[in-house]
Structures are given as C-alpha cells and as structure tokens.
C-alpha cells in the first residue's frame, strides 16, 4: 500500500473515531492538518468532515461547502450522502425550510447527484416536527412527482404527523394508499394509527386497526397493546383490555409498568377490586416494582369506595417499599377523610405532608377547607385560606363557597351555611346571586320565611338582582308553609311581571293543594 493511500485511510478512520467519541473538534483539527500539508482527500474523508462540522454546530460552514461548491477545493465532489448529512443537521436544528432550499438546489442541478428517498424523508419529518404539516404534505407529493418512491419510513412519518394532528381520516387515507402502492405497513405505522384513535377515544376504530395489524402477521408490541388497552379501559371495557394484556404475554412481550398501570386503573374504575389486587400481586411476582403512580391508583380506588382501612394498608406498604408519597397521594387521602367526616385524620395527613417536605397544592387546600366548612371548624378554614394567600396560591373563589353553602342548605343546615356566608364576606369574596339564592332556599326549607326575606333584602342591598328563580323559591315557601294569603300581595309588590303571569296559571293548583291540606288536618283532628 502506498504511503498516500495509508494516510488517506488513517485520516478517514481518525476523523470517524473523533465523531464517535463525541469530539468533532478533534476531527476538524486533524482534517485541517491534512489540508495544510497538501494531501488530497476522498469522498469518505470529506463526508466525515461535513459530519464533524455539523456535530460541532458549524452547520453554516457545512451548508456553504455544498452551496458554494467548495468541496472541489478538497479534490472531490459531493454525493447524496454529503447532502443528507447536512440536511439531517438542519432538520434537527428546526431549520427545515433551509433544508428544503438545499434539497431543491440538489434536485435542480441533477447530474450524477440527486436527492434520494432518505433526503426527502428527513425534510418531510423535519417539517412535521415543526408543525408545518402543509409544507410536509406538499413535499411528499413533490417527491412522488419526481419519481422518488416513498418507503414505509416516509409513509409512517406522514401517518404519525396526521395522527398527532388528530386528522385520523387523512391518516387512514395514507395507510390505504400505502397498500395500493405495494408498501407494507409496519409496526410503527399501526402504532401511530392505534395511538391516534385511542387518544381520541375512538376505541372501535382502534380495535379495527389492531385486528388488521395481526391479520397481516405483524405482532403488536408493547406500545400498540398499551395504547389499545388504554382506549378500552377509558370506555369501561377493562375485561377486553385484560385479554389484550394476556395475549401480549402469550406472544412473548413482557408487560411493563405502564401496561400494568393502565389495567389497574381500568379495573379500579369499574369496581373490579379483586381483579385489581390480583393483578397488583402478579405484577410484584413478575419482578415489576410498583412506583408512586401504581400506589396512587390503588389508594385512589379504595379511597373513592370509602374503604379507608384498605387505603391506609396500601399507603403503609408504599412507604415500607421506600416509595415516597407525592402531593397527589396526600390530596387523595385528605379528600377522602374529609368526605367521611374524619376531619382529625385529614388534618393529621395535612401536617404530615408538610413535615416530609411536600408543599400542599390548591386541590389539597380546597379539600381541607371544604371539610372544615362542612364539619364546623371555621377557625381552621379561615387559617387555611390565609395560608393559601400568604403562599401566593389563589384562594377559593365564590363558586367554591357556593357549592359548600348549597350542600349545607340542601341538608337543612342553613345556620352552618350562614356561617360560611359570613366567612365569604370576611375573606373579601363577593357573594353573587347563587350565594343569596341558596341561602333563601335553605331558610325556606326549614320554614324560616322571615329570615329568607332578610336575605332577599341583603341581596338587593349588595347589588345582586333577584331573578325569577329567587322569587319563585320565596313564593313556593309561602305556599308550603301554609301562608297562601301572603303570596299574591307579596308577588304584586315584589315579583317581576313574568313571575306574576306564572302565578296566575299556578294559583288554582296551589289553592287546591292548600285547601286539601287543611281538610286533611281537620279530618285527623276529628278522628282523635
């Protein structure tokens, strides 16, 4: 071998090794030395040089070498591999438009070097990554017109982008076009379709894709199975998801923690608690270590069912295995304890999460404040609201407090609701028409009509305009409390015209209802 040939081969190997070692600067320095001593280069060396330039973030110099035809100075002309290296870097740097300009220049000049399917694939994929779907599709059609045959990679890239854009009909059209053109879809293509349909909740279409995939002899992988299982579980079909899970293991695919999490969540949502805990046990037996998300699923399911003993056992196991609870874990526990009236336990968990360094989130505060309001600890509720404001967390708004007041009023606990109303005023929230109407309804329910009228006066003073619902509540209260004779004078004085028209139609019914009630009371008295 000549000394020149040896040097060329050595320089090629050295610059390649420099790139593989993630030291493109060494490769550039070595090639620069070769050029300074006057050695001519070959295609391999120059392509490696271009790669080093790109890896060292000197992409502009690499582009100039191609566009300004400077490679001839190095003793060779660029080939399609040279262009593809630069195209790849431009697309990775989100400069797909510049990559397209370089691609079109290559196509125009023609000669012995024309863009190949790899060139087009990279730029199409680059445009899709940047959200330029229109440009990507135009280039795809241009590619076909230029006689470059799309590969499965090309089609899969287009299908993937259309699925992510939720254009599933267009994605399926491309899928059919693949088959018509003799290109066989692969796992990647079907993964995109299944995931796209699953994300949109179109489980029937996802099932069709799954069956079509297996009919072509393709073995669904973990991604396909997990996507399909998630779609089935979201639609209450966890038993069918379990069949996919079992088929996955039968075909040699070991389910991962994501697959287990999906099925655990599906079982829990449908109330299949025994199936859920059995799956959890098999997961551990198969060497899959439960993470925080898995434990949160189990805790959430048991807490939702009010099974707090089981919930706390899972919580203890979680900590025993060294898995740290997160804010979601504590939020679930605190909300469950508050729903069950176990305010002391909720407060303990709140203190515990702060002690272990987990800052309470807005949902945590909301759950505990609601619990305090519902169970009579307004002092703590005020303290929690102050904490939120001091930490820069938005305090509960009037919609939140309206929900609490409305719940208390429907339970007949109107005095507790009145206390919450006072709390609303104290923290600077402005009651709205729903707040006042709920209180009026609460007082009507317990027969305190004078109090209800007092709330109405406060409502008007606060600038909240009573509506037909407000007046109807009061009128119904008078009827139900046997004060029929108060209805018409009150409605004439206070009620809007549309309510009076309603009352005219309702009057015979309510009068008959009242008279019948009076007769029944008299009859009971005479029977005694």
């Amino acid at each position: 071998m000549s000394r020149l040939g040896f040097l060329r081969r050595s320089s090629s190997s050295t610059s390649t090794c420099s790139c593989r070692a993630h030291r493109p600067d060494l490769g550039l320095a070595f090639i620069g030395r070769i050029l300074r001593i006057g050695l001519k280069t070959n295609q391999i060396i120059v392509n490696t040089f271009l790669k080093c330039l790109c890896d060292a973030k000197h992409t502009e110099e690499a582009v100039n070498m191609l566009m300004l035809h400077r490679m001839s100075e190095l003793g060779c002309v660029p080939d399609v591999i040279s262009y593809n290296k630069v195209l790849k870097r431009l697309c990775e740097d989100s400069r797909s438009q510049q990559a397209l300009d370089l691609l079109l220049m290559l196509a125009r000049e023609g000669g012995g070097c024309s863009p190949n399917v790899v060139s087009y694939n990279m730029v199409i994929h680059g445009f899709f990554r940047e959200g330029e779907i229109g440009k990507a599709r135009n280039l795809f059609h241009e590619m076909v017109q230029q006689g470059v045959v799309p590969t499965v990679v090309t089609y899969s890239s287009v299908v993937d982008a259309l699925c992510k854009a939720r254009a599933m009909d267009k994605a399926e059209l491309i899928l059919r076009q693949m088959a018509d053109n003799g290109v066989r879809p692969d796992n990647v293509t079907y993964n995109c379709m299944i995931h796209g349909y699953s994300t949109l909740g179109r489980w029937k279409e996802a099932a069709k894709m799954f069956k079509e995939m297996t009919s072509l002899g393709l073995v669904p992988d973990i991604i396909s199975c997990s996507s399909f299982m998630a779609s089935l579980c979201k639609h209450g079909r966890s038993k069918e998801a379990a069949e996919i899970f079992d088929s996955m293991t039968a075909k040699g695919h070991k389910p991962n923690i994501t697959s287990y999490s999906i099925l655990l969540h599906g079982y829990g949502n449908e109330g299949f608690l025994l199936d859920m805990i059995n799956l959890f046990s098999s997961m551990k037996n198969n060497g899959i270590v439960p993470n925080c998300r898995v434990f949160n699923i189990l805790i959430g399911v048991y807490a939702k069912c009010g099974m707090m003993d089981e919930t706390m056992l899972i919580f203890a196991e979680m900590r025993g295995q060294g898995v740290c609870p997160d804010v979601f874990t504590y939020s679930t526990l605190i909300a469950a304890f508050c729903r069950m009236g176990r305010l002391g336990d909720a407060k303990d968990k709140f203190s515990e999460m702060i002690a272990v360094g987990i800052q309470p989130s807005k949902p945590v505060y909301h759950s505990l404040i609601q619990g305090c309001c519902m169970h009579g600890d307004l002092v703590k509720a005020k303290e929690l609201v102050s904490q939120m404001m001091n930490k820069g967390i938005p305090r509960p708004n009037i919609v939140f407090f309206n929900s609490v007041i409305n719940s208390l009023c429907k339970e007949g606990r109107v005095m507790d609701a009145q206390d919450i109303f006072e709390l609303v005023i104290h923290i600077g929230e402005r009651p709205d028409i729903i707040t006042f109407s709920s209180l009026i309804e609460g007082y009507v329910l317990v027969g305190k009509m004078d109090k209800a009228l007092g709330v109405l006066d406060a409502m008007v003073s606060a600038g909240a305009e009573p509506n037909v619902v407000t007046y109807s509540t009061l009128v119904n209260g008078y009827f139900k409390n046997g004060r029929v004779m108060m209805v018409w004078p009150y409605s004439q004085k206070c009620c809007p015209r549309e309510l009076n028209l309603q009352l005219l139609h309702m009057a015979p019914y309510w009068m008959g209802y009242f008279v019948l009630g009076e007769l029944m009371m008299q009859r009971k008295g005479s029977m005694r």
Side-chain angles (χ1 to χ4, degrees), residues 93-128:
D93 291 344
S94 300
R95 297 163 64 185
S96 299
Q97 183 57 53
Q98 194 173 350
L100 176 62
D101 295 339
L102 185 61
L103 177 71
L104 294 178
M105 185 196 82
L106 176 61
R108 277 196 308 271
E109 292 186 355
C113 179
S114 297
N116 61 12
V117 68
V118 177
S119 316
Y120 282 99
N121 284 350
M122 285 189 291
V123 182
I124 288 170
H125 184 65
F127 275 131
F128 278 133

Side-chain angles (χ1 to χ4, degrees), residues 361-375:
S361 62
K362 184 177 176 180
V364 173
Y365 276 109
H366 276 208
S367 295
L368 195 52
I369 290 169
Q370 185 171 14
C372 291
C373 290
M374 294 298 291
H375 301 291

Side-chain angles (χ1 to χ4, degrees), residues 22-35:
H22 304 291
R23 291 296 304 273
D25 53 320
L26 296 179
L28 291 175
F30 187 77
I31 293 171
R33 183 167 180 79
I34 290 172
L35 296 177

Side-chain angles (χ1 to χ4, degrees), residues 27 31 129 180-181 212 220 249 330 340 349 352 400 416 432 446 448 454 499:
I31 293 171
R129 276 181 52 195
D180 293 342
N181 293 337
E212 186 177 308
T249 56
Y330 282 104
M340 299 182 70
K349 286 300 164 201
E352 181 184 305
F400 171 85
D416 291 333
D432 60 14
V446 298
K448 294 185 176 182
L499 179 58

Side-chain angles (χ1 to χ4, degrees), residues 234-398:
K234 282 178 184 176
H235 291 82
R237 310 179 80 89
S238 60
K239 293 293 185 181
E240 292 176 42
E243 292 176 9
I244 302 299
F245 184 89
D246 293 337
S247 71
M248 183 165 54
T249 56
K251 290 171 182 174
H253 292 303
K254 185 179 179 181
N256 58 19
I257 197 163
T258 302
S259 311
Y260 277 104
S261 298
I262 290 167
L263 192 52
L264 284 169
H265 197 264
Y267 278 148
N269 280 345
E270 292 183 58
F272 299 135
L273 303 189
L274 183 59
D275 291 318
M276 180 184 75
I277 208 66
N278 287 340
L279 181 65
F280 179 63
S281 299
S282 74
M283 172 185 177
K284 293 186 290 184
N285 293 337
N286 289 326
I288 305 292
V289 180
N291 59 12
C292 186
R293 181 168 183 265
V294 169
F295 281 112
N296 281 345
I297 289 169
L298 300 181
I299 288 170
V301 169
Y302 281 126
K304 186 178 179 181
C305 296
M307 301 168 67
M308 294 310 294
D309 290 342
E310 290 80 358
T311 301
M312 296 313 295
L313 284 173
I314 296 293
F315 182 73
E317 182 179 347
M318 177 184 193
R319 301 187 71 173
Q321 293 189 18
V323 179
C324 295
D326 62 7
V327 68
F328 184 82
T329 318
Y330 282 104
S331 179
T332 303
L333 292 173
I334 290 167
F337 281 132
C338 287
R339 282 196 305 271
M340 299 182 70
R342 294 171 60 176
L343 197 55
D345 291 325
K347 291 177 184 176
D348 289 343
K349 286 300 164 201
F350 183 78
S351 301
E352 181 184 305
M353 75 182 292
I354 294 173
V356 298
I358 299 174
Q359 288 302 311
S361 62
K362 184 177 176 180
V364 173
Y365 276 109
H366 276 208
S367 295
L368 195 52
I369 290 169
Q370 185 171 14
C372 291
C373 290
M374 294 298 291
H375 301 291
D377 193 349
L378 293 189
V379 174
K380 184 65 176 178
K382 290 178 185 177
E383 179 189 322
L384 291 167
V385 171
S386 297
Q387 279 185 28
M388 290 183 75
M389 294 169 68
N390 291 337
K391 291 180 179 180
I393 302 173
R395 70 188 180 200
N397 59 18
I398 194 61

Side-chain angles (χ1 to χ4, degrees), residues 7-307:
L7 285 172
R8 283 178 177 172
R9 181 169 296 181
S10 299
S11 62
S12 174
S13 301
T14 305
S15 51
T16 301
C17 289
S18 300
C19 289
R20 287 178 180 171
H22 304 291
R23 291 296 304 273
D25 53 320
L26 296 179
L28 291 175
F30 187 77
I31 293 171
R33 183 167 180 79
I34 290 172
L35 296 177
R36 278 196 299 274
I37 64 176
L39 290 176
K40 291 294 183 180
T41 60
N42 59 23
Q43 199 73 55
I44 297 174
I45 295 174
V46 171
N47 285 344
T48 306
F49 179 49
L50 285 170
K51 186 177 188 308
C52 287
L53 281 172
C54 291
D55 290 347
K57 306 295 183 184
H58 296 307
T59 314
E60 284 301 327
E61 288 91 330
V63 172
N64 289 336
M65 282 189 68
L66 296 176
M67 298 192 77
L68 301 178
H69 307 288
R70 291 177 56 191
M71 282 184 68
S72 58
E73 299 171 13
L74 303 178
C76 64
V77 293
D79 59 9
V80 72
I81 296 174
S82 313
Y83 281 92
N84 285 349
K85 288 184 183 299
V86 180
L87 290 172
K88 182 174 183 290
R89 172 52 63 181
L90 287 170
C91 292
E92 286 174 350
D93 291 344
S94 300
R95 297 163 64 185
S96 299
Q97 183 57 53
Q98 194 173 350
L100 176 62
D101 295 339
L102 185 61
L103 177 71
L104 294 178
M105 185 196 82
L106 176 61
R108 277 196 308 271
E109 292 186 355
C113 179
S114 297
N116 61 12
V117 68
V118 177
S119 316
Y120 282 99
N121 284 350
M122 285 189 291
V123 182
I124 288 170
H125 184 65
F127 275 131
F128 278 133
R129 276 181 52 195
E130 294 174 39
E132 298 280 1
I133 296 175
K135 289 182 179 180
R137 290 178 65 191
N138 289 341
L139 185 57
F140 174 73
H141 295 307
E142 172 71 17
M143 168 188 182
V144 175
Q145 288 174 4
Q146 292 295 327
V148 180
V149 180
T151 63
V152 66
V153 175
T154 322
Y155 282 112
S156 294
S157 182
V158 176
V159 167
D160 180 45
L162 291 173
C163 289
K164 286 176 179 173
R166 302 192 165 205
M168 296 308 300
D169 293 341
K170 292 178 181 177
E172 189 155 348
L173 192 63
I174 296 294
L175 182 68
R176 302 306 164 213
Q177 193 177 341
M178 284 180 77
D180 293 342
N181 293 337
V183 180
R184 179 186 168 90
D186 62 6
N187 271 26
V188 175
T189 321
Y190 278 106
N191 282 341
C192 296
M193 294 298 299
I194 292 169
H195 185 69
Y197 278 128
S198 299
T199 302
L200 294 175
R202 296 168 64 176
W203 70 269
K204 290 182 179 178
E205 289 88 344
K208 185 184 76 171
M209 286 293 144
F210 197 84
K211 290 176 182 175
E212 186 177 308
M213 181 181 190
T214 54
S215 70
L216 291 173
L218 296 171
V219 179
D221 59 14
I222 294 286
I223 299 172
S224 303
C225 293
S226 296
S227 294
F228 188 35
M229 284 167 56
S231 183
L232 289 169
C233 288
K234 282 178 184 176
H235 291 82
R237 310 179 80 89
S238 60
K239 293 293 185 181
E240 292 176 42
E243 292 176 9
I244 302 299
F245 184 89
D246 293 337
S247 71
M248 183 165 54
T249 56
K251 290 171 182 174
H253 292 303
K254 185 179 179 181
N256 58 19
I257 197 163
T258 302
S259 311
Y260 277 104
S261 298
I262 290 167
L263 192 52
L264 284 169
H265 197 264
Y267 278 148
N269 280 345
E270 292 183 58
F272 299 135
L273 303 189
L274 183 59
D275 291 318
M276 180 184 75
I277 208 66
N278 287 340
L279 181 65
F280 179 63
S281 299
S282 74
M283 172 185 177
K284 293 186 290 184
N285 293 337
N286 289 326
I288 305 292
V289 180
N291 59 12
C292 186
R293 181 168 183 265
V294 169
F295 281 112
N296 281 345
I297 289 169
L298 300 181
I299 288 170
V301 169
Y302 281 126
K304 186 178 179 181
C305 296
M307 301 168 67

